[in-house]
Amino acid sequence: MKKEVQVHSLFSEFDIYLFKSGKHFRLYEKFGAHPMELQGEEGVYFAVWAPSAKNVSVIGDFNYWLEGEHPLNVRWDESGIWEGFIPGVKLGDKYKYKIQSSVNDAKLEKADPYALKCERPPNTASIVWDLNYKWKDKKYLESRKETNSLDKPFSIYEVHLGSWKRKVEENRALSYLELAQELVSYVKECGFTHVEFMPIMEYPYDPSWGYQLTGYFAPTSRFGDPQDFMALIDAFHKAGIGVILDWVPSHFPEDKHGLGMFDGSHLYEHPDPRKGYHPDWKSLIFNYGRNEVRSFLISNAVFWLDKYHADGLRVDAVASMLYLDYSREDGQWEPNEHGGRENLDAIQFVRELNTEVYRSFEGVQTIAEESTSFPMVSKPVDIGGLGFGMKWMMGWMHDTLEYFKKDPIYRQYHQNDISFSMTYAFTENFTLPLSHDEVVYGKKSILGRMPGDEWQRFANLRLLYSYMFTHPGTNLLFMGSEFGQHEEWKFSGSLDWHLLEYDLHKGVKETITQLNSLYKKQPALHEKQFEARGFEWISYDDAQNSVLAYMRKGENEKKDLLVVCNFTPGILENYQIGVPRKGKLKEIFNSDAKELGGSGVKNEQVKTAPESWHGREHSVKITIPPLAAVVFQIL
């Protein structure tokens, strides 16, 4: 027996126009389940897009999951939207949409694409919820435009919430509220400026690490309610730490309750499998040429910045979106209208996304995980770029890790590998990533790649991080790498926190803490981190000694820094370095310091001499510690 579903709509004619033209970027205010009072009755307004449906009804624990008890009404305007107000439904009620397709008469049970909360997997129902929360981060948001800008420190700690730390006795991950205590204090202690969460949007399959989403508007229920996740972000903001969310607009899984074949048709995914199916991940690809799909995706990006106060989005797998032939053999893809391999619809979508994000939110950043040489990824849209704030520097990551895993005796033959990144370092606004992808699938941990005996392995690791933090660009480090995790990352377990009982591991963590402090305090390391004028080579061709020397420069030349790296285990004494002016060199960071686990080789304050070297009128003779980086100020 059909129950009363009152005709009601949150959509104006202008909303419908924007939605159908791909320009509605606040769809979460209209679609989904919205608790409200209508004509004196409490209930919930539901709205879902299903243009190929013959019938749509809401099923849930309020009607014993019976089809047809609460049928929705289809709008008259051919928008494909089904909607209606159901009295008596309340917060916490579970529901799905029962959709009968007009394509093949199939009956489908689908979770709400706009659900604010989902059942904890493996259960798949949506839950009526609201986002009422009293934020306490007004002061932080007001200062964000200044503190989150591209000329400020951006040191990111990448975290998988389910495996950062676990309650051993209960064999469970920490909740959002527990993380608000433990993770926030830890990130602050280490000195990172930002935290990045691997995807927290609801996902059904733990081994996907969150990159196969089914609940795009719902933080996963694994760790608590939406308000608990808000409290976690609030706590980070109180500590002055920005929050970046991994976001996945590139593909989605085929789970029956998800977006795939949503109304019996290819609604969200591209109908042509050459554009709509991802062979690597066995997943579906969004149809970026469909206006309503672009509205859905951009609304989702805006949602996390708006309702959850996120400070940035790291956009996953951008390369897979940009190229029609990505992971495809000849004959498995079709060129675009100009005969090229670029996905023109995806490119347009990305530009619209970044335009809207930067137009609507001050002080946020979007970061592209883009692994190819696609041009102008982090350049403004109005000059032909894709409009991202930053791009991951995958070439630096690959070349640097390849160099560091070599025995130091062979590094003299690979000097170009460690210096090559500077030939293209300023073509984009680069983030230097040592991410989760580098510590899985047999690649070993970062420490596990380092050659030599135990002391040398840790010295190499401290040197790698020192080189990373003094290289132009911003930085990202995956959890566990900051204290020298021995084993590869396992999504189902905890980091090996017991390692911090050992001095060498404590020394690595202290190295990261000191490097974060150096990065934040020294303007030469961040003011011009994306500009060629912020870097100057002193020496890059001493392959025999495997030494690099370079200047990092800010607005005030008196605060410029000299960085010298020794990639061999030998101490280099009386090593002559050209300097830009006369003065005294003061050592302000040394990765070989004893408190970091090093041998304690250091330089007392040394004076320059008027002797030409490295093309400069002044020079200085210093001692370079083994497998170490030293940073100097010229006083």
Side-chain angles (χ1 to χ4, degrees), residues 117-235:
K117 184 180 178 182
C118 302
E119 278 192 293
R120 182 168 181 162
N123 298 320
T124 58
S126 304
I127 300 176
V128 176
W129 208 254
D130 65 31
L131 297 180
N132 293 333
Y133 177 80
K134 189 174 182 179
W135 287 92
K136 306 175 187 67
D137 62 351
K138 182 179 179 182
K139 184 177 179 181
Y140 175 87
L141 294 181
E142 287 175 345
S143 65
R144 186 172 65 180
K145 182 180 179 182
E146 172 66 18
T147 59
N148 216 42
S149 61
L150 295 177
D151 60 352
K152 294 297 188 294
F154 228 92
S155 179
I156 305 166
Y157 185 59
E158 185 189 23
V159 176
H160 178 263
L161 291 182
S163 59
W164 180 72
K165 185 181 288 188
R166 298 179 71 88
K167 292 288 186 181
V168 178
E169 63 279 3
E170 303 167 54
N171 190 29
R172 66 167 178 85
L174 301 184
S175 69
Y176 291 130
L177 295 181
E178 289 169 330
L179 289 162
Q181 298 293 321
E182 297 194 38
L183 179 59
V184 172
S185 62
Y186 181 78
V187 174
K188 188 173 180 65
E189 175 189 331
C190 292
F192 291 98
T193 64
H194 293 75
V195 67
E196 179 180 319
F197 297 143
M198 290 167 66
I200 52 79
M201 302 79 182
E202 195 60 83
Y203 57 100
Y205 187 51
D206 284 350
S208 79
W209 310 337
Y211 290 98
Q212 299 267 10
L213 308 182
T214 50
Y216 270 78
F217 290 83
T220 179
S221 294
R222 289 169 174 82
F223 315 120
D225 291 338
Q227 282 76 9
D228 297 338
F229 184 56
M230 291 176 176
L232 174 58
I233 294 177
D234 223 355

Side-chain angles (χ1 to χ4, degrees), residues 478-528:
F478 183 58
M479 64 182 198
S481 301
E482 81 281 2
F483 60 76
Q485 174 100 357
H486 274 300
E487 303 298 324
E488 286 190 342
W489 169 57
K490 297 179 179 65
F491 73 89
S492 57
S494 173
L495 297 181
D496 293 331
W497 292 104
H498 66 277
L499 293 176
L500 284 171
E501 298 172 11
Y502 301 97
D503 288 343
L504 285 174
H505 291 277
K506 284 193 290 188
V508 175
K509 180 172 175 284
E510 178 61 23
T511 300
I512 290 296
T513 302
Q514 289 192 19
L515 286 168
N516 273 322
S517 176
L518 187 76
Y519 180 39
K520 289 187 285 190
K521 290 180 179 178
Q522 297 296 329
L525 292 178
H526 58 256
E527 284 184 344
K528 300 177 184 177

Side-chain angles (χ1 to χ4, degrees), residues 4-32:
E4 181 181 4
V5 176
Q6 299 181 25
V7 176
H8 185 69
S9 183
L10 294 182
F11 291 88
S12 67
E13 289 187 18
F14 189 54
D15 286 323
I16 299 299
Y17 166 76
L18 291 175
F19 175 52
K20 293 174 71 173
S21 60
K23 300 297 183 182
H24 201 310
F25 303 141
R26 301 294 188 280
L27 289 178
Y28 51 89
E29 297 175 350
K30 309 295 178 178
F31 281 112

